[in-house]
């Protein structure tokens, strides 16, 4: 079964620390992996998309890595700010499935 | 990129009634998706709505409960029929600019927050 897991479900960090969020998936045959941000009661905002042929993507303070062989992706947020407080969702497009499979998310609180 | 709007943004409904949610995209797209996010849970795909064909429903979702229209390449509706409190969720519309999932970034609307009493 093609599944996506995110651990921990929730974490709090003091402002200025680097955030490390983990996503694991059960099948290495993927098209791509996408990280989203969701604010309470809101829709999803795409942060980074990593194609299966790529190892990482960067956007500002955000860096996402992809290791298909081990079924893992990591989202790094440098020098966290209170505005980074949100839920971060990992989604994988698996081969043979014309849909995204989502993890349950990492709920992040950055403490001022 | 794609900008997606949804109406209504939120609603409170009585059990047994139906609600139709509208999704409008600022560009023509082939693939549109409807998701449900129950409280504390991640997103679950309800159905894929491609223009010119019947919607394809995921396991556990049926057309009688969640009828979908896709009259053109920029618009879709999802109806939640005969609602019960278990239908209280956020409903999200999403589009893929590619011809298949995984080709490009998937974009999401702001969601419709539904509470059924």
């Amino acid at each position: 079964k093609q599944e996506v897991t995110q651990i921990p479900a929730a974490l709090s960090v003091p402002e200025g620390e680097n955030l490390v969020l983990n996503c694991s998936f059960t099948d290495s045959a993927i098209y791509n992996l996408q990280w989203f941000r969701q604010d309470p009661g809101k829709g999803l905002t795409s942060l980074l998309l990593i194609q299966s042929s790529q190892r990482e993507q960067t956007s500002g303070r955000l860096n996402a890595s992809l290791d298909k062989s081990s079924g893992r992706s990591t989202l790094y947020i440098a020098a966290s700010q209170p505005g980074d407080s949100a839920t971060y969702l990992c989604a994988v497009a698996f081969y043979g499935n014309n849909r995204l499979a989502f993890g349950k998310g990492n709920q992040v609180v950055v403490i001022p | 990129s794609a900008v997606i709007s949804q109406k209504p943004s939120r609603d409170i409904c009585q059990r047994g009634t139906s609600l139709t949610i509208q999704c409008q995209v600022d560009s023509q797209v082939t693939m549109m998706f409807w998701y449900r996010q129950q409280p504390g849970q991640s997103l679950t795909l309800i159905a894929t709505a491609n223009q010119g064909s019947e919607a394809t429903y995921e396991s556990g979702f049926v057309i009688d409960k969640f009828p979908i229209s896709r009259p053109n390449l920029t618009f879709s509706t999802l109806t939640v029929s005969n609602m019960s409190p278990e239908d209280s969720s956020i409903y999200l519309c999403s589009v893929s600019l590619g011809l298949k999932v995984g080709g490009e970034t998937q974009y999401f609307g702001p969601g419709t927050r539904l509470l059924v009493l």
Side-chain angles (χ1 to χ4, degrees), chain A residues 40-62:
Chain A
K42 302 289 181 61
L44 277 66
T45 301
S46 178
L47 297 174
L48 290 167
L49 170 71
I50 312 177
Q51 299 291 355
S52 64
S53 59
Q54 297 174 321
R55 299 279 299 186
E56 66 176 352
Q57 279 287 331
T58 298
S59 175
R61 294 185 295 113
L62 276 59

Side-chain angles (χ1 to χ4, degrees), chain A residues 32 34 38 41 43 98-100 103, chain B residues 37 42 58 101-102 105 110 113:
Chain A
N32 62 38
Q34 200 164 346
Q38 185 175 30
N98 205 26
R99 64 185 70 86
L100 290 181
Chain B
Q37 186 177 31
S42 189
E58 297 300 303
V101 172
T105 299
R113 181 181 286 267

Side-chain angles (χ1 to χ4, degrees), chain B residues 34-36 44-48 56-58 61 66 78 91:
Chain B
W34 286 99
Y35 288 84
R36 180 175 74 181
T44 301
L45 181 64
I46 298 172
T48 302
T56 303
Y57 289 83
E58 297 300 303
F61 297 96
F66 297 101
L78 170 76
Y91 291 86

Side-chain angles (χ1 to χ4, degrees), chain B residues 9-58:
Chain B
S9 58
R10 58 178 61 223
D11 207 342
I12 301 173
C13 301
Q14 298 297 320
R15 76 169 63 212
T17 63
S18 297
L19 176 72
T20 295
I21 302 168
Q22 298 179 5
C23 175
Q24 181 75 51
V25 189
D26 69 342
S27 58
Q28 294 185 337
V29 296
T30 300
M31 303 188 71
M32 294 183 77
F33 309 89
W34 286 99
Y35 288 84
R36 180 175 74 181
Q37 186 177 31
Q38 294 176 303
Q41 301 298 313
S42 189
L43 277 72
T44 301
L45 181 64
I46 298 172
T48 302
N50 293 336
Q51 198 270 336
S53 63
E54 295 290 322
T56 303
Y57 289 83
E58 297 300 303

